[in-house]
Amino acid sequence: MKYDIKNINLAKKGSLRIEWASNNMPVLNLIKQRFAKEKPLKGLKIAACLHVTTETGVLGSVLKAGGAQVFIAASNPLSTQDDVAAALVKDSKISVFAIKGEDTKTYYKHIKAVLAASPDITMDDGADLVSTIHSGPASAHSNIIGGTEETTTGVIRLRALAKAGKLRYPIVAVNDALTKHLFDNRYGTGQSTIDGIIRATNKLLAGSNFVVCGYGWCGKGAGLRADGLGAKVIVVEVDPLRALEASMDGFRVMPIKEAARIGDIFVTVTGDINVIRKEHFKIMQDGAIVCNSGHFNVELDIAGLKKLSIRKKIIRDFVEEYILKDGRKLYLLGEGRLINLAAAEGHPASVMDMSFANQALCAEYMAKNYKRLKNQVYKVPEDIDSKIASLKLRSLGIKIDTLTKEQKKYLSSWEMGT
Ligand code: ADE
């Protein structure tokens, strides 16, 4: 079995941590039991490009229980948990190609290594796997029947590929399931972003000006949780509707050029490039902290920051101190990569339970339905989404009501009014 990881001797620690995550992933465990009986993925090779975390470890074991052969590359150079990579190789016999801190060349070498397995299904987080496939000749991976995509950024890239008429196989946008983005993007990113900032800096958030750039579901989560810790949240947006939402959620809204002057901590979660630029670093307060929790490290103009600086040093793990020509110091966290996975452990297992339940069930859906699907980006079927919500509720011991006959009739009629 081929693999490329940091150190196989870390496996024991990794397997205990995967066990801990699994204890908080009841929905995925139910799917695993069924998969073990029905083997819906029998004979299929799945190439995954995912953050190598304890939660991904649990997903890997579910796919294997379903009969698949699994190959995993990291979906970010800084997000790999090396002990998990070791446990997956040693205990689960999953081919993992991922080392925390790998350079860009190694990152793509690892992506190519999972593709060398000639996969039938791709499972992506950010669409680097799919974009690597589509940068090569169409003949190269013609046996792929379909894929899934985990995140907003990846879905945007795939829709662009499909719109250009170039997508070579059907892909399900897991991100767009309600049981994914309403929970993972909001509560997952919300908590893990704050977790990453605190683990990296040990700063007190209470009373600080906390600037959130982007008020999508991830930005909403980060704002909500920073607010909960007593920070004074400022939102930067380009979309009028989202800006209005932020304002009515109780936050100050202003352009980045104003926020830059007063922010103590800045987080970008927009999915776009160069959101905080040189001209903004120029006017920031001495001691300001800047980080990103969006998928790619493109949201901060780090080259611009470097140009303003005379030197930099690593002052703590995941904290780089940039000393500017005028003597001010600015702090960049996690090299501008997603801070929640670079300095913390990503989203907690109980929220990844739903995201990865979607991944497992959509892989099964693809295996069963690929023949009738076109080369398009598909929504997660509604029955999968609502099944996951019901299972999650049941696992939480939460019961809900059902409509009475009279209520159902009322909702399907038009006659009854004032
Ligand atoms: N994305 C965000 N958090 C994650 C986690 N814990 N595991 C895998 N992917 C993630």
Side-chain angles (χ1 to χ4, degrees), residues 51 53 55-56 125 340-341 345-348 352 356:
H51 301 297
T53 64
E55 294 74 25
T56 299
D125 185 342
N340 60 337
L341 280 139
E345 294 168 63
H347 307 347
M352 292 312 293
F356 283 169

Side-chain angles (χ1 to χ4, degrees), residues 160-305:
L161 196 60
K163 197 170 169 207
K166 292 187 175 160
L167 187 62
R168 295 183 193 155
Y169 55 87
I171 298 193
V172 182
V174 164
N175 181 71
D176 295 357
L178 298 175
T179 46
K180 199 279 182 182
H181 68 265
L182 289 183
F183 303 92
D184 170 313
N185 301 29
R186 181 168 34 173
Y187 304 116
T189 307
Q191 178 165 322
S192 62
T193 299
I194 305 294
D195 187 14
I197 293 169
I198 292 176
R199 286 199 209 191
T201 64
N202 197 27
K203 278 274 186 177
L204 183 75
L205 262 60
S208 67
N209 280 335
F210 190 96
V211 181
V212 181
C213 301
Y215 206 63
W217 290 111
C218 295
K220 287 184 175 73
L224 181 73
R225 294 302 177 234
D227 182 54
L229 285 169
K232 291 177 274 181
V233 175
I234 295 168
V235 171
V236 170
E237 245 306 337
V238 292
D239 180 290
L241 205 120
R242 287 179 174 176
L244 205 52
E245 268 186 294
S247 172
M248 295 209 186
D249 285 346
F251 302 140
R252 290 173 75 190
V253 179
M254 63 183 76
I256 183 64
K257 68 174 191 291
E258 283 174 36
R261 288 189 189 282
I262 55 175
D264 298 302
I265 300 174
F266 296 81
V267 189
T268 51
V269 263
T270 68
D272 212 338
I273 57 167
N274 291 333
V275 177
I276 301 186
R277 300 181 289 276
K278 194 172 161 196
E279 66 259 35
H280 307 126
F281 292 123
K282 253 185 187 163
I283 55 173
M284 280 183 187
Q285 305 185 82
D286 184 30
I289 291 170
V290 186
C291 67
N292 165 53
S293 209
H295 187 80
F296 287 120
N297 61 334
V298 294
E299 306 207 15
L300 306 171
D301 172 19
I302 298 171
L305 177 59

